[in-house]
Amino acid sequence: MGVFPWVAWYGFRRYTAYPLSSAAEAVTNTVFGFMRAYVLIALWHARPALGGYDVADAVTFCFITQAMIGPVQLFRGLELSERIRSGDVAIDLYRPVGLQGWWLADDIGRASAEMLLRSALPLVAGAVVFDLNVPSAPGLAAFALSAMLGVLVSFAIRYLVALAVFWLHDDRGLQSIALVMSLFFSGMILPLVVFPGWLASIAQAMPWAALVQVPADVFLGKHTGTDLLGALGFQAGWAVALLAAGAALTAAARRKLVIHGG
């Protein structure tokens, strides 16, 4: 077995080492899920069929997004930021594997652990209380693929933000901007389908839509046939573009470190 599967495996083990902590986060996500669900129910009762959703779609969307918080890591960046600040990234760059590949493998292990320990409870609790729209087996398979692509896009965005520390030295401002963009344009706060026409078009074309909105719409069956292929292609396209940008920025960061004697 190659290096990257081992890195992913150890990342998975690291993030499953404290299951009680993950359980507490799952409970928090579930509680906030119910709070959001009742807000959305009130909104859809006032505006039926808003954005092409009915009430059941809106409530299902709510619990899907709560289940996706952990895997796509909306609220936290990469530990790489701190390693760059401390200089420990020099050790990472000495490894005989690519920096981006190493951290991607670790993040895949993390996302797998989060999905196992944090995603099930919000969905199960929501299904017990509300009549959620649950897709068929092919729909669930399509959702699983879309969720994995969402994790890739999420990693690529967070990796670019982390690499900015090579030049900014302090990423707190950039992390705050990234958090706001992720929450607003991913569909986490409100489904992007309720945005006004021009804003919805812009938001749905941005990479953050691949994190939550697209997987949720796949789960709800809003994308079928060639439209489903287009939605998955949208996510894959942003993943490839952002990972390519990450590879280019990694090369630039390596040159900068070497030039400065690192």
Side-chain angles (χ1 to χ4, degrees), residues 48-69:
L50 178 63
Y53 282 17
D54 57 22
V55 174
D57 287 336
V59 174
T60 303
F61 180 94
C62 171
F63 285 99
I64 284 293
T65 57
Q66 291 301 117
M68 291 289 292
I69 288 175

Side-chain angles (χ1 to χ4, degrees), residues 154-237:
S154 169
F155 165 80
I157 293 172
R158 289 179 288 119
Y159 183 76
L160 289 171
V161 172
L163 286 186
V165 179
F166 275 108
W167 290 270
L168 299 178
H169 307 298
D170 188 339
D171 68 331
R172 285 176 293 184
L174 189 58
Q175 290 282 9
S176 298
I177 294 172
L179 174 61
V180 171
M181 297 290 283
S182 295
L183 291 176
F184 189 75
F185 287 111
S186 69
M188 185 65 221
I189 296 178
L190 278 174
L192 300 183
V193 296
V194 309
F195 286 13
W198 64 270
L199 183 56
S201 298
I202 293 173
Q204 291 173 7
M206 298 176 78
W208 292 280
L211 307 187
V212 172
Q213 183 68 49
V214 174
D217 278 342
V218 170
F219 188 93
L220 290 170
K222 301 299 182 181
H223 298 296
T224 58
T226 56
D227 189 39
L228 174 59
L229 294 178
L232 297 176
F234 168 80
Q235 291 181 285

Side-chain angles (χ1 to χ4, degrees), residues 24-45:
E25 291 177 322
V27 170
T28 301
N29 292 342
T30 302
V31 170
F32 276 94
F34 281 104
M35 294 170 63
R36 291 182 62 217
Y38 285 112
V39 170
L40 293 181
I41 288 171
L43 176 60
W44 256 264
H45 280 166

Side-chain angles (χ1 to χ4, degrees), residues 67-109:
M68 291 289 292
I69 288 175
V72 299
Q73 197 74 304
L74 284 174
F75 293 98
R76 290 196 292 269
L78 290 175
E79 295 175 10
L80 175 61
S81 299
E82 181 56 37
R83 292 185 67 81
I84 296 173
R85 273 197 298 268
S86 66
D88 290 340
V89 70
I91 299 173
D92 300 338
L93 292 170
Y94 272 118
R95 294 190 181 110
V97 293
L99 181 70
Q100 187 178 42
W102 178 282
W103 282 95
L104 174 57
D106 179 76
D107 200 60
I108 289 173

